[in-house]
Amino acid sequence: MDLTASTHPLPDSQSYSLVLVNPTNEELEIIYKLSFAEWGDALTLPQYLEEAHFLAQVPLAKNGGMASWILTTTDWLPNHRPILASCETFRKRAFVSNKEGQMSENVVYGIASVFVNPDYRRRGYGARLMNELANILPKMHRAPLPSVASILYSDIGKEYYTKVGWPAFPTNYHIEFDPKTGPVSTHARVVRTEDLPQLCRDDEAMSQKLMASLQPGKTQIMIVPDIDQILWHISKEAFACQKIFNHIPQAKGALAGEYGCRIWVLWAHRYYGHPCSSPEDSTLYILRLAIEDHNPNPERFKSQVQYLKAVLQVAQAEAAYWSLRTVKLWHPTSLVQKMIEQSGLEYRQVDREEDNVASLRWFGDGAVTENDLEWVACEKYAWV
């Protein structure tokens, strides 16, 4: 049965009969088939359906971590009702430092895969979906950690989601590096799968310490770069590469420096089109750039410049080996930007106005405006 069509007239977007509910498995299958044209990337439809079920079992998604939602009407029964709009939400851990400088751990919900059937667009269903989410998400997780915010990444510019209550951050940019083969510094070593749990634990401890030391005055929020966040991206990478190449990348990142002064990057390969037909549609994303010493003295800063250069050169080599068009590093800090400038690496900065626009809705304690809020480490690992 085609669950997207009905002989009944479609309800008005302001109708009291509209509700946001979890779909049945049959309805989920319809959503995946409808969204394949937009988000199938390099996969076939059967592979895309298989990937959806596979990603629902990774740690970030399991045990209620991910929820699927549909906007529909109470007038019809499940599997016979129209799917007017749909999305997914992901529960994420977050560190928050309030205006008084007090740090706490909380929950943030990431909104992903917002989709309206093309036949139902321009009727207000997307806005109604977001309004329903705005009512539901603050109440979803109260113990032991309160939910304080919701994030999303807009691929339709800044205006729409700002209007429905998810203001876009003023600046959304990334640094790009070209793939490059050649000698790689001996400073760096490759990060393997078995290295990830400890590196993520170290990163989490550093992040907690950083958030606790921030100056008061603003509310500052950081999605915790824990192993579950990283594994979601790496699991998606592994599934796609196995289907495309029958081979999975072994390198998960690169690390340089001694303890106390280490710098490492974790990455993921992404093919938006098949490399044989659309080689330009591919990216090596730096999921996370971790730096142990954020306040180096001049001598140590010189060493850090070389360490960062080394790990980025490994990333460039990885991109070249896997025929990826570019390497992208989202939202580098002022310290990282200064290091890149002094590294001698060729790069370009890209301001994003239409795609992957970071947006956040605050519903924690206290009134927080866009000018009162800072998103710390708005990097690719938090995207999903």
Side-chain angles (χ1 to χ4, degrees):
M1 177 180 294
D2 182 0
L3 304 183
T4 68
S6 173
T7 57
H8 299 277
L10 291 172
D12 185 86
S13 64
Q14 301 304 311
S15 170
Y16 288 109
S17 71
L18 295 190
V19 290
L20 193 66
V21 296
N22 303 122
T24 66
N25 289 336
E26 190 174 348
E27 288 168 333
L28 266 180
E29 198 85 353
I30 294 295
I31 293 168
Y32 296 146
K33 289 178 179 178
L34 280 171
S35 63
F36 168 70
E38 294 197 30
W39 298 320
D41 291 354
L43 302 177
T44 64
L45 176 57
Q47 290 171 344
Y48 179 64
L49 296 175
E50 184 184 350
E51 180 194 49
H53 295 294
F54 170 74
L55 289 177
Q57 298 304 313
V58 302
L60 186 67
K62 289 176 68 174
N63 302 318
M66 183 191 82
S68 296
W69 303 92
I70 59 170
L71 182 73
T72 187
T73 175
T74 56
D75 293 339
W76 302 314
L77 294 173
N79 296 340
H80 297 277
R81 58 197 176 186
I83 302 171
L84 304 173
S86 61
C87 70
E88 298 169 341
T89 57
F90 289 84
R91 187 175 63 236
K92 303 166 181 283
R93 297 167 58 221
F95 295 138
V96 175
S97 177
N98 65 18
K99 293 179 181 180
E100 290 72 43
Q102 300 167 325
M103 200 277 289
S104 60
E105 184 174 338
N106 302 269
V107 165
V108 165
Y109 283 96
I111 300 173
S113 306
V114 178
F115 185 81
V116 178
N117 183 336
D119 293 338
Y120 298 163
R121 290 176 184 172
R122 301 189 183 281
R123 296 173 182 264
Y125 294 139
R128 178 65 183 268
L129 172 87
M130 300 306 295
N131 287 337
E132 295 294 326
L133 281 174
N135 292 326
I136 289 174
L137 294 182
K139 307 168 187 174
M140 276 181 58
H141 202 74
R142 283 291 171 187
L145 303 176
S147 54
V148 297
S150 169
I151 63 172
L152 60 82
Y153 295 86
S154 171
D155 284 332
I156 53 173
K158 298 179 178 181
E159 184 177 349
Y160 179 81
Y161 286 106
T162 296
K163 283 184 176 180
V164 295
W166 274 259
F169 271 71
T171 57
N172 286 270
Y173 67 95
H174 60 262
I175 300 294
E176 289 189 1
F177 306 90
D178 289 329
K180 191 174 183 180
T181 57
V184 175
S185 169
T186 56
H187 287 304
R189 70 170 181 86
V190 168
V191 171
R192 306 290 183 184
T193 301
E194 58 269 23
D195 300 318
L196 293 175
Q198 186 59 55
L199 286 177
C200 288
R201 284 192 292 269
D202 292 346
D203 194 2
E204 183 174 333
M206 290 190 303
S207 300
Q208 189 170 18
K209 184 178 179 181
L210 172 67
M211 292 297 290
S213 67
L214 294 176
Q215 293 296 315
K218 282 188 174 184
T219 297
Q220 299 175 87
I221 188 168
M222 178 183 186
I223 306 301
V224 179
D226 59 25
I227 187 67
D228 289 355
Q229 284 288 146
I230 300 300
L231 284 181
W232 189 92
H233 291 274
I234 288 178
S235 298
K236 183 173 178 65
E237 164 197 86
F239 184 92
C241 288
Q242 183 64 41
K243 296 299 182 183
I244 298 169
F245 302 108
N246 198 32
H247 179 59
I248 297 173
Q250 297 302 303
K252 308 304 178 186
L255 179 150
E258 65 279 1
Y259 277 95
C261 190
R262 291 181 300 171
I263 292 179
W264 67 85
V265 294
L266 304 179
W267 59 54
H269 307 62
R270 185 71 182 268
Y271 295 90
Y272 292 99
H274 198 285
C276 292
S277 57
S278 303
E280 71 281 1
D281 294 334
S282 59
T283 300
L284 185 74
Y285 283 108
I286 304 295
L287 301 176
R288 174 66 172 149
L289 168 57
I291 298 177
E292 283 188 311
D293 188 352
H294 288 272
N295 296 290
N297 60 40
E299 193 61 35
R300 176 167 281 192
F301 176 79
K302 291 179 183 178
S303 297
Q304 286 186 322
V305 170
Q306 295 307 310
Y307 296 154
L308 179 60
K309 180 178 181 178
V311 298
L312 289 175
Q313 285 179 324
V314 177
Q316 290 178 291
E318 180 76 3
Y321 180 81
W322 282 89
S323 301
L324 295 159
R325 184 182 64 84
T326 187
V327 178
K328 293 183 180 180
L329 170 63
W330 282 15
H331 288 265
T333 64
S334 57
L335 173 64
V336 171
Q337 287 180 307
K338 185 177 179 181
M339 291 163 62
I340 291 173
E341 290 169 3
Q342 296 195 20
S343 71
L345 293 173
E346 295 182 357
Y347 70 93
R348 55 194 169 271
Q349 179 171 318
V350 178
D351 295 316
R352 301 193 305 274
E353 295 292 332
E354 296 297 326
D355 65 293
N356 291 307
V357 175
S359 308
L360 185 149
R361 182 186 184 107
W362 176 263
F363 39 71
D365 294 335
V368 174
T369 67
E370 170 183 334
N371 296 326
D372 299 321
L373 186 65
E374 182 178 349
W375 186 339
V376 179
C378 185
E379 300 176 38
K380 182 68 176 180
Y381 74 87
W383 177 97
V384 57

